[in-house]
Amino acid sequence: MSQFTIWDTLVLVVYIALTAAVGAWVGRKQGSTEDYFLGGRRIPWWAVGLSVMATQASAITFIGAPGWGYEGGLERLVTFVNAPLAIGFLIAFMVPVFYRSGVYTVYEFLERRFDVRARLLASLLFLLARGLATGIVLYAPALVLSVVTGWPTDWTILLMAVIAVSYTVLGGISAVIWTDVMQMVVLWLGAGLSIVVIVNGLPGGWGEVFSHARDAGLLHPINLDPNPSVTYSLWAGVLGGFFLHVAYFGADQSQIQRVLTSKSEHESKRSLMLGGFLLVPQMMLFLFIGIMLHAFYSHTGVPNVDNPNELFPRFVVTELPPGVSGLVVAGVFAAAMSSLDSALNSLSAVSVRDVYQRFVARDRSEAHYLTASRWMTVLWGIFATIFAFFAGNLGPVIEAVNRIGSYFNGVLLGVFWLAILSRRVNGTGAFLGLIVGVLVVWGLTAVIDMSWLYYNLVGVVVVVVTGHVISASTGGRPSHAQLDGLTWARRNAGDATAAPSIRGWIIALVVYFFLWLGLLFWLQSL
């Protein structure tokens, strides 16, 4: 077995330095918060699309998904198979309205459509959810570094925090996106090399992988149990997972902020389409690496690890050739920094635009707000670091991130559905709908044994119903200024679905979903 050699260390250091240099270089001309948060709205669609992909192939996925695959095979794939439907929905209904509004944050949009109460509450919910999840995002690469070096995880958390925060303060959203493009290439290369090594290390090659996976029941992704407590049933994956991804990509500032950096509305849609077609196969790739590790370790003996998150990092540093291990670990670090800087940048954007600039320091200069944005990035980095110390107790990291988001994102998605798809709901209905939605979702977790995948669906339904009932009871109709250009309607949708190419891509995404569903049923029959 090889270990992490001097060549691996050299590759790791050079790649991290290169990534930091690229981040600093692309962010060197920042003169305003629009540059810092939106890249001047001049980033090409393909780079934005790869950045969206990189979020899913972050350090969380790189180490968490193989752990998932090792423990449960392809059963978790049903959580992601709905992604094409979710992306199609966003392209058709939400992205056009967001982009045309010209906002920096999607919560700013809520004040225009409803009132300042809805904006502030939604902002605070996002800050809480994303702030906690960022701690887990920080923990994941720190775990990898701990496995590689043997240092205590607490030390590596602090080291990664210092690197990530420093890099984020310099780079802004432009650095986030362009370094994401770099790390996508390295991560896919690392995954491919790992697959080659595993197959070559098995006596029967690919035949051994599939026969072992079939005998171990790891190729059966379909669970038709209707019990809502079953987390990875087909129903939870398709229904709950659909709302999970619409909420994640459409109501979470850390994701939709990337789309708003595109040069035009049309390009913003194209960037999401790229993710719609590649997210499912990417997740299947990393889950299948976990299945392959199951076959590999059935011959060599399972290493002594505390949790499944450590399996793939351990394989990388003990089985891959010298230099290649360093490249793969460098990719994990690059993914980690890209995920961290995007989260920290969005937390800073919401803190400054939706709270500080709106309520604390109005009518200051752009230079003042840019400085405040950098300091806010530092503060959120400290918060994430503190929470990261406890992240190891939350189980598989990829599930922990999605579970935390599910407590809040469905509720946030519900208020955006009210804003965009209804012309009857007023500010009071939206504000109270958010409050009732949060209370119901959190209450359900205490009294009902239900999969966290359903939390998003419940949150949307409760907020939408409550918003309509309260708006009808109070009798206040939104003004013309609160509706004009801020809701989706066929007569105002323009090229949202009118362009034949866009309509064709949306239809293709729906067909693509059913093709994947058919593949899952075929695998189930093996």
Side-chain angles (χ1 to χ4, degrees):
M1 289 186 177
S2 64
Q3 297 294 329
F4 207 69
T5 66
I6 186 64
W7 295 108
D8 297 314
T9 303
L10 180 62
V11 170
L12 175 60
V13 171
V14 169
Y15 191 78
I16 290 176
L18 178 62
T19 304
V22 170
W25 185 79
V26 298
R28 68 194 185 283
K29 295 183 179 179
Q30 294 168 359
S32 67
T33 52
E34 183 178 31
D35 293 331
Y36 191 70
F37 295 134
L38 297 177
R41 299 183 192 269
R42 54 180 178 267
I43 298 177
W45 70 269
W46 57 268
V48 175
L50 287 176
S51 180
V52 171
M53 289 291 298
T55 302
Q56 292 298 309
S58 66
I60 293 292
T61 299
F62 199 78
I63 72 171
W68 260 5
Y70 185 91
E71 289 190 317
L74 295 180
E75 68 174 0
R76 270 82 164 184
L77 193 60
V78 296
T79 308
F80 299 89
V81 73
N82 56 75
L85 292 181
I87 296 298
F89 181 89
L90 289 169
I91 291 170
F93 296 101
M94 298 182 71
V95 170
V97 180
F98 284 149
Y99 194 90
R100 293 176 190 179
S101 67
V103 296
Y104 283 53
T105 76
V106 287
Y107 314 113
E108 182 181 348
F109 170 84
L110 290 179
E111 180 174 2
R112 297 187 187 182
R113 173 61 182 85
F114 294 125
D115 56 32
V116 70
R117 297 174 301 172
R119 175 184 185 178
L120 179 60
L121 181 55
S123 300
L124 294 177
L125 291 176
F126 164 77
L127 292 174
L128 177 60
R130 182 50 53 188
L132 294 176
T134 302
I136 302 174
V137 172
L138 174 58
Y139 167 77
L143 175 65
V144 175
L145 184 59
S146 176
V147 170
V148 170
T149 63
W151 300 344
T153 305
D154 289 350
W155 293 9
T156 58
I157 287 174
L158 290 173
L159 177 61
M160 284 301 304
V162 171
I163 294 173
V165 171
S166 301
Y167 164 77
T168 306
V169 167
L170 290 174
I173 193 66
S174 295
V176 171
I177 291 174
W178 286 111
T179 53
D180 280 353
V181 173
M182 291 176 56
Q183 64 102 341
M184 279 304 299
V185 175
V186 175
L187 281 183
W188 283 341
L189 177 61
L193 291 172
S194 300
I195 289 174
V196 170
V197 171
I198 295 173
V199 172
N200 289 337
L202 287 171
W206 281 108
E208 173 66 17
V209 171
F210 284 104
S211 63
H212 177 86
R214 184 174 58 250
D215 294 342
L218 298 176
L219 296 180
H220 297 161
I222 302 296
N223 184 338
L224 295 177
D225 190 340
N227 191 327
S229 66
V230 178
T231 299
Y232 301 110
S233 70
L234 180 65
W235 321 112
V238 173
L239 293 177
F242 170 80
F243 287 93
L244 168 72
H245 283 106
V246 174
Y248 180 60
F249 289 111
D252 188 307
Q253 175 66 19
S254 66
Q255 298 305 308
I256 200 66
Q257 183 175 337
R258 300 165 192 254
V259 177
L260 297 178
T261 65
S262 298
K263 297 179 180 180
S264 67
E265 179 186 332
H266 183 73
E267 289 209 355
S268 69
K269 296 171 188 173
R270 293 176 73 187
S271 69
L272 276 180
M273 284 180 209
L274 186 63
F277 284 106
L278 293 181
L279 283 174
V280 184
Q282 177 175 265
M283 181 54 62
M284 187 169 187
L285 169 67
F286 286 105
L287 287 173
F288 202 78
I289 288 176
I291 293 174
M292 297 177 73
L293 288 175
H294 198 284
F296 182 83
Y297 286 130
S298 70
H299 288 273
T300 63
V302 181
N304 183 23
V305 295
D306 294 331
N307 64 64
N309 296 324
E310 299 181 26
L311 279 171
F312 191 41
R314 181 74 64 183
F315 172 84
V316 167
V317 299
T318 59
E319 303 295 339
L320 295 185
V324 177
S325 295
L327 183 62
V328 176
V329 174
V332 176
F333 269 60
M337 288 191 288
S338 295
S339 300
L340 282 168
D341 61 22
S342 63
L344 294 174
N345 188 264
S346 63
L347 287 165
S348 175
V350 173
S351 299
V352 173
R353 291 286 300 185
D354 295 302
V355 180
Y356 181 75
Q357 185 174 347
R358 180 65 179 81
F359 299 101
V360 179
R362 307 184 69 173
D363 302 322
R364 303 290 180 89
S365 66
E366 275 295 311
H368 174 86
Y369 292 129
L370 183 58
T371 300
S373 300
R374 298 186 192 279
W375 278 110
M376 196 60 69
T377 301
V378 174
L379 293 177
W380 277 112
I382 294 172
F383 176 88
T385 302
I386 294 172
F387 186 69
F389 291 133
F390 305 98
N393 299 321
L394 298 178
V397 288
I398 187 171
E399 181 174 315
V401 168
N402 286 324
R403 189 168 60 242
I404 288 175
S406 295
Y407 289 125
F408 302 94
N409 286 349
V411 174
L412 291 172
L413 176 61
V415 79
F416 282 112
W417 276 34
L418 290 176
I420 295 172
L421 300 179
S422 173
R423 299 176 65 86
R424 297 178 179 275
V425 176
N426 56 33
T428 300
F431 177 69
L432 294 180
L434 273 173
I435 294 176
V436 173
V438 170
L439 293 176
V440 169
V441 170
W442 280 83
L444 282 177
T445 66
V447 300
I448 297 179
D449 183 16
M450 181 174 64
S451 166
W452 55 268
L453 283 170
Y454 288 116
Y455 296 168
N456 295 279
L457 171 59
V458 171
V460 170
V461 171
V462 171
V463 172
V464 169
V465 172
T466 303
H468 277 97
V469 170
I470 292 177
S471 296
S473 301
T474 57
R477 295 291 297 269
S479 67
H480 178 73
Q482 291 176 311
L483 297 175
D484 188 26
L486 298 177
T487 62
W488 187 92
R490 283 192 184 279
R491 63 179 181 274
N492 295 325
D495 65 340
T497 56
S501 61
I502 298 297
R503 288 202 305 269
W505 283 116
I506 293 174
I507 293 172
L509 285 169
V510 175
V511 173
Y512 189 60
F513 160 76
F514 282 105
L515 289 175
W516 270 103
L517 203 59
L519 176 62
L520 296 189
F521 275 101
W522 176 76
L523 289 171
Q524 186 73 18
S525 67
L526 294 179

